[in-house]
Amino acid sequence: GAVVSQHPSRVICKSGTSVKIECRSLDFQATTMFWYRQFPKQSLMLMATSNEGSKATYEQGVEKDKFLINHASLTLSTLTVTSAHPEDSSFYICSAKVLYNEQFFGPGTRLTVL
Amino acid sequence: AQKITQTQPGMFVQEKEAVTLDCTYDTSDQSYGLFWYKQPSSGEMIFLIYQGSYDEQNATEGRYSLNFQKARKSANLVISASQLGDSAMYFCAMREGPGNNDMRFGAGTRLTVKP
């Protein structure tokens, strides 16, 4: 199957700083990428849908000014958590869509905000 | 409203036995897709099986099969011959309609395989 990578896999930062998470489709071009957030022992919750070259579509309740998403190319989408706070600590997972039925997930990024 | 419902927070199965993980869904779309993913403790989402709403036959992938009952809106995952490595969280997901729509997940079921 297609490979999606995320970097970093794990990040610890101080409260008030910004953190950028990269999501790359390594062997295919993804016109659409999705960002999910997962709290411990909970399900994946969609944060936003990112289409290459256009603004991301955010789910209700997700602050677009806090979670900046950039999908500058067909192989790269970035999520920047601005002015991070401890409540932003979570597991962030991206996924990329290839064909109608195919959606592949990255390995996730564990963010801890101190 | 919750579109994907997994009513079993946790399940136990004896090694080598079969287990069924329940999933019901709600949609008014005629075209939709149903997915099952496995998430081990490492966090990665591993695709297991897919069922399209127009597929007449139940999907199968190795030891995984999907019991698709369209009229009842259920898409249960059956794992045959359970292995210790099957212990993980299992998520049912649905994508509605054609196009680049997002995938919505159920709450998940934690499966523990006993030796």
Short mmCIF file of all heavy atoms in Angstrom, two decimals, chain A residues 31-32 34 36 38 42-44 46 49 51 59 91 93 97 100-101 103 105 107, chain B residues 31 35 37 39 43 45 50 91 95 97-107:
data_model
loop_
_atom_site.label_atom_id
_atom_site.label_comp_id
_atom_site.label_asym_id
_atom_site.label_seq_id
_atom_site.Cartn_x
_atom_site.Cartn_y
_atom_site.Cartn_z
N THR A 31 -4.27 14.50 -3.41
CA THR A 31 -4.95 15.78 -3.57
C THR A 31 -5.64 16.20 -2.28
O THR A 31 -5.88 17.38 -2.06
CB THR A 31 -5.98 15.71 -4.69
OG1 THR A 31 -6.86 14.60 -4.43
CG2 THR A 31 -5.32 15.51 -6.04
N THR A 32 -5.95 15.23 -1.45
CA THR A 32 -6.64 15.53 -0.20
C THR A 32 -5.94 14.86 0.96
O THR A 32 -5.60 13.67 0.89
CB THR A 32 -8.10 15.05 -0.23
OG1 THR A 32 -8.76 15.65 -1.35
CG2 THR A 32 -8.84 15.44 1.04
N PHE A 34 -6.11 14.62 5.36
CA PHE A 34 -6.97 14.85 6.52
C PHE A 34 -6.10 14.87 7.78
O PHE A 34 -5.14 14.11 7.89
CB PHE A 34 -8.00 13.73 6.66
CG PHE A 34 -8.85 13.52 5.43
CD1 PHE A 34 -8.49 12.59 4.47
CD2 PHE A 34 -10.00 14.26 5.24
CE1 PHE A 34 -9.26 12.38 3.34
CE2 PHE A 34 -10.79 14.06 4.11
CZ PHE A 34 -10.42 13.12 3.16
N TYR A 36 -6.37 14.35 11.90
CA TYR A 36 -7.17 13.84 12.99
C TYR A 36 -6.45 14.06 14.32
O TYR A 36 -5.22 14.15 14.37
CB TYR A 36 -7.42 12.33 12.84
CG TYR A 36 -8.27 11.94 11.67
CD1 TYR A 36 -7.72 11.77 10.40
CD2 TYR A 36 -9.64 11.71 11.82
CE1 TYR A 36 -8.50 11.40 9.32
CE2 TYR A 36 -10.43 11.34 10.74
CZ TYR A 36 -9.85 11.18 9.50
OH TYR A 36 -10.63 10.80 8.43
N GLN A 38 -6.44 12.48 18.36
CA GLN A 38 -6.89 11.37 19.18
C GLN A 38 -6.39 11.54 20.60
O GLN A 38 -5.18 11.51 20.85
CB GLN A 38 -6.39 10.04 18.61
CG GLN A 38 -6.93 8.82 19.34
CD GLN A 38 -6.42 7.51 18.74
OE1 GLN A 38 -5.32 7.47 18.20
NE2 GLN A 38 -7.22 6.47 18.84
N GLN A 42 -9.49 7.26 23.27
CA GLN A 42 -10.63 7.76 22.52
C GLN A 42 -10.45 7.51 21.03
O GLN A 42 -9.40 7.03 20.59
CB GLN A 42 -10.84 9.26 22.80
CG GLN A 42 -11.26 9.55 24.23
CD GLN A 42 -11.65 11.00 24.42
OE1 GLN A 42 -12.04 11.69 23.48
NE2 GLN A 42 -11.57 11.48 25.65
N SER A 43 -11.48 7.86 20.29
CA SER A 43 -11.44 7.64 18.85
C SER A 43 -10.73 8.79 18.14
O SER A 43 -10.37 9.79 18.75
CB SER A 43 -12.86 7.49 18.32
OG SER A 43 -12.84 7.13 16.96
N LEU A 44 -10.57 8.62 16.84
CA LEU A 44 -10.00 9.69 16.03
C LEU A 44 -11.09 10.70 15.72
O LEU A 44 -12.19 10.34 15.28
CB LEU A 44 -9.46 9.14 14.71
CG LEU A 44 -8.10 8.46 14.74
CD1 LEU A 44 -8.18 7.11 15.41
CD2 LEU A 44 -7.56 8.31 13.32
N LEU A 46 -11.89 14.03 13.43
CA LEU A 46 -11.42 14.81 12.31
C LEU A 46 -11.30 16.28 12.71
O LEU A 46 -12.23 16.85 13.26
CB LEU A 46 -12.38 14.68 11.13
CG LEU A 46 -11.99 15.43 9.86
CD1 LEU A 46 -10.76 14.80 9.22
CD2 LEU A 46 -13.15 15.43 8.87
N THR A 49 -9.93 19.08 6.76
CA THR A 49 -9.66 18.47 5.46
C THR A 49 -8.84 19.47 4.65
O THR A 49 -9.21 20.64 4.55
CB THR A 49 -10.96 18.16 4.72
OG1 THR A 49 -11.74 17.27 5.54
CG2 THR A 49 -10.68 17.51 3.38
N ASN A 51 -7.03 20.37 1.06
CA ASN A 51 -6.88 20.13 -0.38
C ASN A 51 -5.72 20.95 -0.90
O ASN A 51 -5.55 22.12 -0.53
CB ASN A 51 -8.16 20.51 -1.12
CG ASN A 51 -9.28 19.55 -0.84
OD1 ASN A 51 -9.18 18.36 -1.09
ND2 ASN A 51 -10.36 20.05 -0.27
N GLU A 59 -13.36 21.40 10.89
CA GLU A 59 -14.56 20.90 11.54
C GLU A 59 -15.04 21.88 12.60
O GLU A 59 -14.25 22.70 13.12
CB GLU A 59 -14.29 19.54 12.18
CG GLU A 59 -14.00 18.44 11.17
CD GLU A 59 -15.16 18.19 10.24
OE1 GLU A 59 -16.26 17.85 10.73
OE2 GLU A 59 -14.99 18.37 9.02
N PHE A 91 -2.49 12.98 20.35
CA PHE A 91 -1.89 12.21 19.26
C PHE A 91 -2.51 12.74 17.97
O PHE A 91 -3.73 12.72 17.82
CB PHE A 91 -2.20 10.72 19.47
CG PHE A 91 -1.43 9.78 18.59
CD1 PHE A 91 -0.05 9.80 18.59
CD2 PHE A 91 -2.09 8.86 17.80
CE1 PHE A 91 0.67 8.91 17.79
CE2 PHE A 91 -1.38 7.97 17.00
CZ PHE A 91 0.01 8.00 17.00
N ILE A 93 -2.83 12.58 13.90
CA ILE A 93 -2.65 11.63 12.80
C ILE A 93 -3.12 12.27 11.50
O ILE A 93 -4.21 12.85 11.45
CB ILE A 93 -3.45 10.34 13.02
CG1 ILE A 93 -3.13 9.71 14.38
CG2 ILE A 93 -3.19 9.32 11.91
CD1 ILE A 93 -3.97 8.49 14.70
N LYS A 97 -5.50 10.69 0.83
CA LYS A 97 -6.43 9.96 0.00
C LYS A 97 -5.87 9.83 -1.40
O LYS A 97 -5.41 10.79 -2.00
CB LYS A 97 -7.77 10.70 -0.03
CG LYS A 97 -8.93 9.88 -0.53
CD LYS A 97 -10.22 10.42 0.03
CE LYS A 97 -11.40 9.70 -0.60
NZ LYS A 97 -11.57 10.06 -2.01
N TYR A 100 -10.72 6.76 -4.80
CA TYR A 100 -11.99 6.88 -4.09
C TYR A 100 -12.02 6.03 -2.82
O TYR A 100 -12.51 6.44 -1.79
CB TYR A 100 -13.14 6.48 -5.01
CG TYR A 100 -14.45 6.41 -4.31
CD1 TYR A 100 -14.95 7.49 -3.59
CD2 TYR A 100 -15.22 5.27 -4.35
CE1 TYR A 100 -16.16 7.43 -2.92
CE2 TYR A 100 -16.43 5.19 -3.70
CZ TYR A 100 -16.90 6.28 -3.00
OH TYR A 100 -18.10 6.20 -2.34
N ASN A 101 -11.46 4.82 -2.92
CA ASN A 101 -11.57 3.93 -1.79
C ASN A 101 -10.35 3.92 -0.89
O ASN A 101 -10.40 3.33 0.19
CB ASN A 101 -11.79 2.49 -2.29
CG ASN A 101 -13.10 2.35 -3.02
OD1 ASN A 101 -14.01 3.12 -2.79
ND2 ASN A 101 -13.18 1.37 -3.89
N GLN A 103 -7.48 5.28 1.49
CA GLN A 103 -7.03 6.34 2.39
C GLN A 103 -5.99 5.73 3.32
O GLN A 103 -6.27 4.76 4.02
CB GLN A 103 -8.21 6.91 3.19
CG GLN A 103 -7.85 8.10 4.06
CD GLN A 103 -9.09 8.82 4.58
OE1 GLN A 103 -10.16 8.74 4.00
NE2 GLN A 103 -8.94 9.54 5.68
N PHE A 105 -3.00 6.17 6.36
CA PHE A 105 -2.71 6.97 7.53
C PHE A 105 -1.22 7.03 7.81
O PHE A 105 -0.48 6.06 7.58
CB PHE A 105 -3.42 6.38 8.75
CG PHE A 105 -4.90 6.64 8.74
CD1 PHE A 105 -5.75 5.84 8.00
CD2 PHE A 105 -5.43 7.70 9.46
CE1 PHE A 105 -7.11 6.08 7.97
CE2 PHE A 105 -6.79 7.95 9.43
CZ PHE A 105 -7.63 7.14 8.68
N PRO A 107 1.89 7.49 10.67
CA PRO A 107 2.12 6.80 11.94
C PRO A 107 1.75 7.63 13.16
O PRO A 107 1.76 7.11 14.28
CB PRO A 107 3.62 6.52 11.91
CG PRO A 107 4.18 7.59 11.04
CD PRO A 107 3.14 7.88 10.01
N SER B 31 -24.53 5.88 -1.62
CA SER B 31 -23.16 5.49 -1.91
C SER B 31 -22.29 5.80 -0.70
O SER B 31 -22.18 6.95 -0.28
CB SER B 31 -22.65 6.26 -3.14
OG SER B 31 -21.28 5.98 -3.36
N PHE B 35 -15.14 0.86 6.52
CA PHE B 35 -13.76 0.46 6.71
C PHE B 35 -13.56 -0.07 8.13
O PHE B 35 -14.23 0.36 9.06
CB PHE B 35 -12.82 1.66 6.54
CG PHE B 35 -12.93 2.38 5.22
CD1 PHE B 35 -13.99 3.24 4.96
CD2 PHE B 35 -11.97 2.20 4.25
CE1 PHE B 35 -14.09 3.91 3.75
CE2 PHE B 35 -12.05 2.87 3.04
CZ PHE B 35 -13.11 3.72 2.79
N TYR B 37 -10.21 -0.55 10.77
CA TYR B 37 -8.79 -0.32 11.02
C TYR B 37 -8.41 -0.92 12.35
O TYR B 37 -9.20 -0.95 13.30
CB TYR B 37 -8.48 1.19 11.07
CG TYR B 37 -8.47 1.86 9.71
CD1 TYR B 37 -9.64 2.34 9.16
CD2 TYR B 37 -7.28 2.01 9.01
CE1 TYR B 37 -9.64 2.96 7.91
CE2 TYR B 37 -7.26 2.63 7.77
CZ TYR B 37 -8.44 3.09 7.23
OH TYR B 37 -8.43 3.70 5.99
N GLN B 39 -5.60 -0.54 15.44
CA GLN B 39 -4.61 0.39 16.00
C GLN B 39 -3.91 -0.27 17.18
O GLN B 39 -4.46 -0.34 18.27
CB GLN B 39 -5.27 1.70 16.44
CG GLN B 39 -4.23 2.75 16.87
CD GLN B 39 -4.86 4.06 17.33
OE1 GLN B 39 -5.85 4.06 18.04
NE2 GLN B 39 -4.28 5.18 16.91
N GLY B 43 0.16 3.10 17.89
CA GLY B 43 -0.64 4.22 17.41
C GLY B 43 -0.94 4.22 15.92
O GLY B 43 -1.83 4.93 15.48
N MET B 45 -2.41 3.41 12.35
CA MET B 45 -3.70 2.91 11.89
C MET B 45 -3.45 1.94 10.75
O MET B 45 -2.92 2.31 9.71
CB MET B 45 -4.58 4.06 11.41
CG MET B 45 -4.96 5.03 12.51
SD MET B 45 -6.07 4.30 13.72
CE MET B 45 -7.60 4.27 12.80
N TYR B 50 -12.36 -3.33 3.56
CA TYR B 50 -13.27 -2.31 3.03
C TYR B 50 -14.51 -2.98 2.42
O TYR B 50 -14.41 -4.04 1.79
CB TYR B 50 -12.56 -1.50 1.95
CG TYR B 50 -13.49 -0.66 1.10
CD1 TYR B 50 -13.95 0.56 1.58
CD2 TYR B 50 -13.92 -1.10 -0.15
CE1 TYR B 50 -14.82 1.32 0.81
CE2 TYR B 50 -14.79 -0.34 -0.91
CZ TYR B 50 -15.24 0.86 -0.43
OH TYR B 50 -16.11 1.61 -1.17
N PHE B 91 -11.20 0.01 15.01
CA PHE B 91 -12.12 1.10 14.69
C PHE B 91 -12.87 0.80 13.40
O PHE B 91 -12.28 0.40 12.39
CB PHE B 91 -11.36 2.42 14.53
CG PHE B 91 -10.77 2.96 15.79
CD1 PHE B 91 -9.43 2.78 16.10
CD2 PHE B 91 -11.56 3.65 16.69
CE1 PHE B 91 -8.89 3.26 17.27
CE2 PHE B 91 -11.02 4.16 17.88
CZ PHE B 91 -9.69 3.96 18.16
N ARG B 95 -17.18 6.39 5.13
CA ARG B 95 -17.06 7.55 4.27
C ARG B 95 -18.32 7.60 3.43
O ARG B 95 -18.67 6.64 2.75
CB ARG B 95 -15.84 7.48 3.36
CG ARG B 95 -15.73 8.71 2.44
CD ARG B 95 -14.66 8.54 1.40
NE ARG B 95 -13.36 8.49 2.02
CZ ARG B 95 -12.43 7.59 1.68
NH1 ARG B 95 -12.69 6.69 0.78
NH2 ARG B 95 -11.27 7.61 2.27
N GLY B 97 -20.78 9.08 0.41
CA GLY B 97 -20.81 9.71 -0.89
C GLY B 97 -19.53 9.54 -1.67
O GLY B 97 -18.52 9.07 -1.17
N PRO B 98 -19.55 9.95 -2.94
CA PRO B 98 -18.34 9.92 -3.75
C PRO B 98 -17.49 11.15 -3.46
O PRO B 98 -17.87 11.99 -2.66
CB PRO B 98 -18.89 9.96 -5.17
CG PRO B 98 -20.17 10.72 -5.04
CD PRO B 98 -20.72 10.40 -3.68
N GLY B 99 -16.37 11.22 -4.07
CA GLY B 99 -15.53 12.40 -3.92
C GLY B 99 -14.62 12.33 -2.73
O GLY B 99 -14.44 11.28 -2.11
N ASN B 100 -14.03 13.45 -2.39
CA ASN B 100 -13.01 13.49 -1.37
C ASN B 100 -13.58 13.75 0.02
O ASN B 100 -13.12 14.63 0.74
CB ASN B 100 -11.98 14.57 -1.72
CG ASN B 100 -11.12 14.15 -2.88
OD1 ASN B 100 -10.86 12.97 -3.07
ND2 ASN B 100 -10.68 15.11 -3.66
N ASN B 101 -14.56 12.98 0.37
CA ASN B 101 -15.15 13.18 1.69
C ASN B 101 -14.29 12.55 2.77
O ASN B 101 -13.49 11.66 2.52
CB ASN B 101 -16.55 12.56 1.73
CG ASN B 101 -17.49 13.28 0.79
OD1 ASN B 101 -17.38 14.48 0.59
ND2 ASN B 101 -18.39 12.54 0.21
N ASP B 102 -14.49 13.03 3.98
CA ASP B 102 -13.68 12.54 5.08
C ASP B 102 -14.25 11.24 5.62
O ASP B 102 -15.36 10.82 5.29
CB ASP B 102 -13.66 13.59 6.19
CG ASP B 102 -15.05 13.93 6.65
OD1 ASP B 102 -15.70 14.79 6.02
OD2 ASP B 102 -15.52 13.34 7.64
N MET B 103 -13.48 10.61 6.46
CA MET B 103 -13.84 9.34 7.07
C MET B 103 -14.16 9.59 8.54
O MET B 103 -13.42 10.27 9.23
CB MET B 103 -12.66 8.38 6.94
CG MET B 103 -12.92 6.98 7.35
SD MET B 103 -11.43 5.98 7.18
CE MET B 103 -11.23 5.95 5.40
N ARG B 104 -15.28 9.05 8.99
CA ARG B 104 -15.69 9.22 10.39
C ARG B 104 -15.52 7.88 11.10
O ARG B 104 -15.86 6.85 10.55
CB ARG B 104 -17.14 9.67 10.46
CG ARG B 104 -17.40 10.97 9.68
CD ARG B 104 -16.83 12.18 10.38
NE ARG B 104 -16.96 13.38 9.56
CZ ARG B 104 -16.98 14.62 10.04
NH1 ARG B 104 -16.88 14.81 11.35
NH2 ARG B 104 -17.07 15.64 9.24
N PHE B 105 -15.10 7.97 12.34
CA PHE B 105 -14.76 6.77 13.10
C PHE B 105 -15.73 6.51 14.24
O PHE B 105 -16.28 7.44 14.83
CB PHE B 105 -13.35 6.90 13.67
CG PHE B 105 -12.28 6.78 12.64
CD1 PHE B 105 -11.91 7.88 11.88
CD2 PHE B 105 -11.65 5.58 12.42
CE1 PHE B 105 -10.94 7.77 10.90
CE2 PHE B 105 -10.66 5.46 11.45
CZ PHE B 105 -10.31 6.56 10.70
N GLY B 106 -15.89 5.23 14.56
CA GLY B 106 -16.59 4.85 15.76
C GLY B 106 -15.68 4.99 16.97
O GLY B 106 -14.51 5.34 16.85
N ALA B 107 -16.22 4.69 18.13
CA ALA B 107 -15.49 4.87 19.38
C ALA B 107 -14.40 3.83 19.58
O ALA B 107 -13.49 4.02 20.39
CB ALA B 107 -16.46 4.84 20.55
#
